[in-house]
Amino acid sequence: MVKAKTWILKKHFEGFPKESNFELREEVLPELQDGGMDNIYICIFVYLRYRGTELAKVVKSKDPAFPEGCYVVANCGWRTHTYPNGPVIFQCPWLLVPWGCLGNVITNTARETILVSAAAGAVGAMVGQICKIKGCKVVGSAGGDDKVAYLKELGFDQAFNYKTVSSLEEALKNASPEGYDCYFENVGVPFFTEALKNMKPGGRTAVCGARANYNDTTPQMCTYPHHEIITRQLKIEGFMVRSWQHKDAEYIKRMLKWMEEGKLKAKEVDTVGFENMPAAFIKMLKGDGLGKAIVKV
Amino acid sequence: MVKAKTWILKKHFEGFPKESNFELREEVLPELQDGGMDNIYICIFVYLRYRGTELAKVVKSKDPAFPEGCYVVANCGWRTHTYPNGPVIFQCPWLLVPWGCLGNVITNTARETILVSAAAGAVGAMVGQICKIKGCKVVGSAGGDDKVAYLKELGFDQAFNYKTVSSLEEALKNASPEGYDCYFENVGVPFFTEALKNMKPGGRTAVCGARANYNDTTPQMCTYPHHEIITRQLKIEGFMVRSWQHKDAEYIKRMLKWMEEGKLKAKEVDTVGFENMPAAFIKMLKGDGLGKAIVKV
């Protein structure tokens, strides 16, 4: 019998999440079933507002595909120990892999110009670097001078601090006077509206997130985007990572190779202690910290 | 020497266009050049807010491809007579062809459910009928009971008057409880926002126009569309008819065939007299009248 700690969402968020929304509880796990697995999850990735993905170490197993001691990625909730809820997604050779960044790639070709918002975040930094590997010109927007410096270190062609530029419109134009072929959208309005005005005809926007708007109690309003969509003949497409999970194995393999070759870098914001999980989650939502937010249980 | 009448945009619109925005002038056309053409345009199609497309009769020609007496479609402005400004788009066997509706088709497959807004307009009615020919289920929204009756006459599976339904949300759900695969967008907000909420996962929206918003002095605001775009993984694409002009010949041929077979019907709102051009244009923008607005010079 194993006792696990788990964070429960006691009261759903109104506006920005608070630590009081969460409650730490204890769970008693049932006995191991034949053919089942018994994992201890040692790392939790803070990912988006609604769910998480965890990297775990298998400590007890009756499944030869996932022997004791191996690392796996799975959806298990915020728990210290558990049985996997649903299939184990992937057996992972690295302890810390920048999960949550995978699969989120605009299909693009060399020599295109890509705009990435929230570019110093775990997802944005990966998108920008992948586009650089593919031979594109990459422009990143982030909310801090340290983040801008980090983007330049990663090889972004242009980067600016959207919080301190005198005009967002001007910053977007200066960074790429000829406009953008692709926009990787991760922030929502008002950035989204300005970005669309700078797309090239036929430009494509991948809508991954709306970080600036997740915690609005009343939804922010924007001017309707039709004028830009029609006159620039834009393509806009939203996506959820789960729809690309069938490609995870392929993506992770490719990204690990790039990492080994030094072409792809990943920063992590480590928090130690399972009890600090809600605090780390709130810090991540505030945009504090540079890189992927990780909690070591 | 030919004297032509022409309507000039004296003062650009502020809000809804008024007759006083226009001024009737006279132009003197220069002598016919070798290899050029001298056309008299006898019909003007009122099309969108920004431009027009005209059907004209060639009355004098040195170009054997467009002999005297033939009908052509061209971009000439609001004029009784002119030399074509740019290439003649198409030689047209019919005097009145529902120009402006061509090329604007969502790529779809049989058994899909299509939502069309401004469905009784010249474009919407064509889109709906083409989707019916392709075997889709078609739902139309229009702003009048006479328009709804017209849509049912055209074979739309469902149609409703968006001005009189108690709830737009409910009307959209009732017309297709399983949601929509495609949305042909022609009106703007607030309809657009409600339509996105009723898309099936992966649904596609073709953004053709924003009729309800063209004449706003201050842009209408809407809630930012990210939540629906992301969670439903929607594709949204804007287009301009001019980008599909290379397909005009093919489309017109196909549509004329469908018309001859009785599969495709087109209604026209005729106005007689070149001097009534601005009044007919304003009437069209108000959504008065059923079908394609046409002015016989």
Side-chain angles (χ1 to χ4, degrees):
Chain A
M1 199 186 69
V2 178
K3 276 191 187 172
K5 282 183 195 162
T6 179
W7 279 104
I8 299 291
L9 187 61
K10 194 173 55 178
K11 190 172 175 303
H12 201 38
F13 316 127
E14 282 172 31
F16 211 92
K18 289 182 285 288
E19 294 207 32
S20 59
N21 289 119
F22 302 96
E23 191 180 283
L24 191 60
R25 290 202 193 149
E26 234 180 46
E27 276 179 346
V28 176
L29 299 180
E31 284 306 308
L32 184 64
Q33 302 297 308
D34 269 2
M37 292 191 306
D38 182 15
N39 297 341
I40 293 184
Y41 290 81
I42 61 160
C43 284
I44 302 193
F45 289 64
V46 182
Y47 176 53
L48 284 187
R49 193 169 188 256
Y50 304 106
R51 54 190 301 215
T53 305
E54 292 78 39
L55 184 71
K57 191 177 183 180
V58 176
V59 291
K60 210 170 168 191
S61 171
K62 292 190 178 177
D63 184 342
F66 300 98
E68 282 176 26
C70 80
Y71 295 106
V72 295
V73 170
N75 294 316
C76 314
W78 293 6
R79 285 181 173 82
T80 54
H81 314 68
T82 193
Y83 293 97
N85 177 13
V88 168
I89 298 172
F90 190 70
Q91 187 173 338
C92 184
W94 279 24
L95 190 56
L96 297 182
V97 73
W99 186 253
C101 327
L102 311 171
N104 309 350
V105 187
I106 295 174
T107 306
N108 52 24
T109 54
R111 285 183 304 278
E112 286 194 318
T113 301
I114 319 295
L115 173 64
V116 183
S117 58
V123 176
M126 286 296 142
V127 171
Q129 289 181 88
I130 292 170
C131 290
K132 282 306 300 174
I133 293 171
K134 290 190 173 186
C136 301
K137 176 182 168 180
V138 179
V139 175
S141 164
D145 291 342
D146 56 335
K147 294 180 180 179
V148 169
Y150 174 52
L151 295 180
K152 289 188 175 156
E153 188 191 314
L154 291 179
F156 279 56
D157 298 279
Q158 297 278 338
F160 61 84
N161 181 346
Y162 74 90
K163 288 184 178 170
T164 55
V165 290
S166 57
S167 150
L168 190 51
E169 193 186 336
E170 224 168 79
L172 287 167
K173 276 205 198 333
N174 286 347
S176 180
E178 70 283 8
Y180 300 91
D181 299 285
C182 297
Y183 170 44
F184 192 89
E185 157 68 332
N186 222 339
V187 291
V189 294
F191 194 98
F192 176 69
T193 311
E194 285 306 319
L196 291 194
K197 290 182 194 164
N198 284 280
M199 297 304 288
K200 290 187 193 174
R204 290 114 59 207
T205 295
V207 184
C208 171
R211 202 186 172 102
N213 306 133
Y214 285 146
N215 301 303
D216 295 338
T217 316
T218 32
Q220 280 188 51
M221 304 297 275
C222 63
T223 53
Y224 66 97
H226 288 60
H227 182 73
E228 302 303 336
I229 294 176
I230 297 169
T231 56
R232 293 174 194 271
Q233 307 192 68
L234 304 179
K235 292 184 181 72
I236 298 175
E237 183 170 344
F239 70 94
M240 304 279 282
V241 173
R242 65 162 183 256
S243 297
W244 298 90
Q245 276 183 357
H246 60 287
K247 295 221 167 187
D248 276 350
E250 176 194 337
Y251 287 158
I252 292 180
K253 201 172 150 190
R254 195 188 308 159
M255 291 182 72
L256 287 175
K257 188 169 172 287
W258 284 333
M259 283 184 159
E260 282 162 7
E261 293 168 356
K263 290 179 182 167
L264 196 63
K265 287 169 198 162
K267 259 205 162 72
E268 287 151 10
V269 182
D270 289 341
T271 302
V272 177
F274 184 71
E275 67 282 8
N276 297 319
M277 185 79 212
F281 176 69
I282 289 165
K283 188 180 164 191
M284 180 277 294
L285 281 179
K286 283 187 179 156
D288 297 346
L290 213 51
K292 185 73 197 158
I294 289 166
V295 176
K296 194 168 183 195
V297 178
Chain B
M1 198 187 71
V2 178
K3 276 191 185 172
K5 283 183 193 160
T6 178
W7 279 104
I8 300 290
L9 188 62
K10 196 173 56 178
K11 191 172 177 301
H12 201 39
F13 316 126
E14 281 173 31
F16 211 92
K18 289 182 285 288
E19 293 205 33
S20 59
N21 289 120
F22 302 95
E23 191 179 284
L24 191 61
R25 289 200 194 150
E26 232 179 47
E27 277 179 346
V28 176
L29 300 181
E31 286 306 309
L32 184 64
Q33 303 294 308
D34 270 1
M37 292 190 305
D38 183 13
N39 298 341
I40 291 184
Y41 291 81
I42 59 161
C43 283
I44 301 192
F45 288 65
V46 183
Y47 177 52
L48 282 187
R49 195 171 187 255
Y50 304 107
R51 55 189 302 217
T53 305
E54 293 78 39
L55 183 70
K57 191 178 185 181
V58 176
V59 290
K60 211 171 166 189
S61 172
K62 293 190 178 177
D63 184 343
F66 300 99
E68 282 175 28
C70 80
Y71 295 106
V72 295
V73 171
N75 294 315
C76 313
W78 293 5
R79 285 181 173 83
T80 54
H81 314 69
T82 193
Y83 293 97
N85 177 12
V88 169
I89 297 172
F90 190 68
Q91 187 175 339
C92 185
W94 278 24
L95 189 56
L96 297 182
V97 71
W99 186 254
C101 325
L102 312 171
N104 310 351
V105 186
I106 295 173
T107 306
N108 54 24
T109 53
R111 286 183 302 279
E112 287 195 317
T113 302
I114 319 296
L115 173 64
V116 183
S117 58
V123 175
M126 286 297 142
V127 170
Q129 289 180 87
I130 292 170
C131 291
K132 281 307 297 173
I133 292 170
K134 290 190 172 187
C136 301
K137 175 182 168 180
V138 179
V139 176
S141 163
D145 291 341
D146 55 335
K147 294 180 180 177
V148 168
Y150 174 53
L151 295 180
K152 289 189 175 157
E153 188 192 314
L154 291 179
F156 279 58
D157 298 280
Q158 298 277 340
F160 61 85
N161 181 346
Y162 75 89
K163 288 184 178 171
T164 56
V165 291
S166 57
S167 150
L168 189 52
E169 194 187 335
E170 223 168 78
L172 287 166
K173 276 205 198 336
N174 287 346
S176 180
E178 70 283 9
Y180 300 91
D181 299 285
C182 297
Y183 170 44
F184 192 89
E185 157 68 332
N186 224 337
V187 292
V189 294
F191 194 97
F192 177 69
T193 311
E194 285 305 320
L196 291 193
K197 290 182 193 163
N198 283 281
M199 297 304 287
K200 290 187 192 173
R204 291 114 60 206
T205 295
V207 184
C208 171
R211 200 184 174 104
N213 306 133
Y214 285 145
N215 301 304
D216 294 339
T217 316
T218 31
Q220 281 188 50
M221 305 297 276
C222 63
T223 52
Y224 66 98
H226 288 59
H227 182 73
E228 302 302 337
I229 294 175
I230 297 169
T231 56
R232 293 173 194 271
Q233 307 192 70
L234 303 180
K235 292 184 181 70
I236 297 176
E237 183 170 346
F239 70 95
M240 305 279 281
V241 173
R242 65 163 184 254
S243 297
W244 298 90
Q245 277 182 356
H246 60 288
K247 295 222 168 187
D248 277 349
E250 177 194 336
Y251 286 158
I252 292 179
K253 201 172 148 189
R254 196 187 307 159
M255 290 182 73
L256 288 175
K257 189 170 170 287
W258 283 334
M259 283 183 160
E260 283 163 4
E261 294 169 355
K263 289 179 181 167
L264 197 62
K265 287 170 199 161
K267 259 204 164 73
E268 288 152 9
V269 182
D270 289 342
T271 301
V272 177
F274 184 71
E275 68 281 8
N276 296 319
M277 184 79 212
F281 176 69
I282 289 166
K283 188 179 165 193
M284 181 276 295
L285 280 179
K286 283 187 179 156
D288 298 345
L290 213 52
K292 185 74 196 157
I294 289 167
V295 176
K296 194 168 183 195
V297 178

